[in-house]
Amino acid sequence: MKTDTPTADTGRACAAARRGRPRSEAAEQAIFTAVEDLMAGGTTMSELTIEGIATAAGVGKATIYRRWPNKEALLVDVVSRLEVPMPEPTGEGARADLIEMVDYMRRRGLAKRSRWVLKAAFGQMHSLPELHNAYRERVVKPRREAGLALIRRAVDEGVLRADLDPDLLGDLLMGPILYRSILWDDSDLEDPDLARAMVDSVLQGLAPR
């Protein structure tokens, strides 16, 4: 894959926090909008270039490189900002937070279906190893860790069995909504009570005896 990057260490550059002079919100928004418009117009992620994005945004290439070390880091941020934000803890206990986490996945699935650019990004990302790995490291991994922390808290609170591996518990709880929102495009995600029904159904079988 051809990339516009001044550094060979894509994964580390994407994962590292960006430093430098204060950002111009207007310039950053113009860059984000340019990427979305280019993709909406049919430009694939592999075809995007820093020069093309800069031209579409009406900024210089240096303006982009001051904010992102390479194209992959920029695209990870573009995709991330289009997604539904992660939920904050409800403060009502592990069961309520598990429901909120599953509902987050439901709403994320709806956003992917309703936003063509987001759907296209996910469809193309698997064919771009550097971008896919950077997205997993920067976005997927922290969310998975947050989910596992919630699973462990549910075990501590006695909501879930303590004799099962937390990873397995996470798969049992999150697997059904991931199947519906990612693998089964025609599944019904509109029901706002879906997350509660899913979590309570699983908890009935995983609650301590």
Side-chain angles (χ1 to χ4, degrees):
M1 179 185 70
K2 181 180 178 181
T3 60
D4 298 276
T5 172
T7 174
D9 195 350
T10 301
R12 191 177 352 175
C14 286
R18 299 187 298 276
R19 298 181 177 88
R21 65 184 68 182
R23 304 180 192 180
S24 162
E25 290 187 8
E28 191 163 287
Q29 181 58 51
I31 293 164
F32 285 141
T33 300
V35 174
E36 293 176 39
D37 288 347
L38 286 168
M39 290 190 64
T43 304
T44 66
M45 283 182 153
S46 59
E47 293 171 340
L48 288 170
T49 64
I50 293 295
E51 183 176 7
I53 295 168
T55 299
V59 301
K61 290 194 294 184
T63 300
I64 296 179
Y65 281 128
R66 280 199 296 268
R67 291 158 173 78
W68 296 276
N70 46 55
K71 185 179 79 171
E72 287 75 21
L74 167 57
L75 294 181
V76 168
D77 275 359
V78 170
V79 175
S80 299
R81 71 188 290 271
L82 291 174
E83 293 193 19
V84 179
M86 278 281 288
E88 296 291 334
T90 64
E92 300 175 8
R95 172 183 171 273
D97 285 343
L98 286 170
I99 292 173
E100 185 61 30
M101 179 65 75
V102 172
D103 194 58
Y104 159 73
M105 298 304 300
R106 179 187 71 85
R107 290 181 282 113
R108 186 170 179 256
L110 285 172
K112 177 186 170 185
R113 292 180 187 181
S114 63
R115 302 201 66 167
W116 185 89
V117 171
L118 191 57
K119 185 172 184 176
F122 280 118
Q124 297 170 26
M125 202 178 293
H126 291 282
S127 63
L128 304 172
E130 289 116 336
L131 179 58
H132 185 247
N133 291 337
Y135 182 81
R136 282 178 57 87
E137 192 67 23
R138 284 239 344 250
V139 179
V140 176
K141 185 177 178 180
R143 291 175 181 176
R144 178 170 176 78
E145 290 174 349
L148 288 174
L150 177 53
I151 294 293
R152 295 187 185 98
R153 181 156 64 84
V155 171
D156 292 340
E157 291 184 13
V159 176
L160 291 172
R161 289 166 53 181
D163 61 322
L164 295 178
D165 179 73
D167 285 300
L168 176 59
L169 290 172
D171 292 343
L172 291 171
L173 277 161
M174 301 300 173
I177 192 63
L178 286 172
Y179 171 75
R180 284 202 176 197
S181 62
I182 296 177
L183 298 179
W184 184 15
D185 286 342
D186 295 331
S187 65
D188 181 16
L189 295 177
E190 298 289 346
D191 183 3
D193 197 46
L194 179 62
R196 184 207 58 76
M198 281 187 166
V199 170
D200 283 347
S201 295
V202 175
L203 291 185
Q204 289 174 13
L206 295 178
R209 298 188 182 279

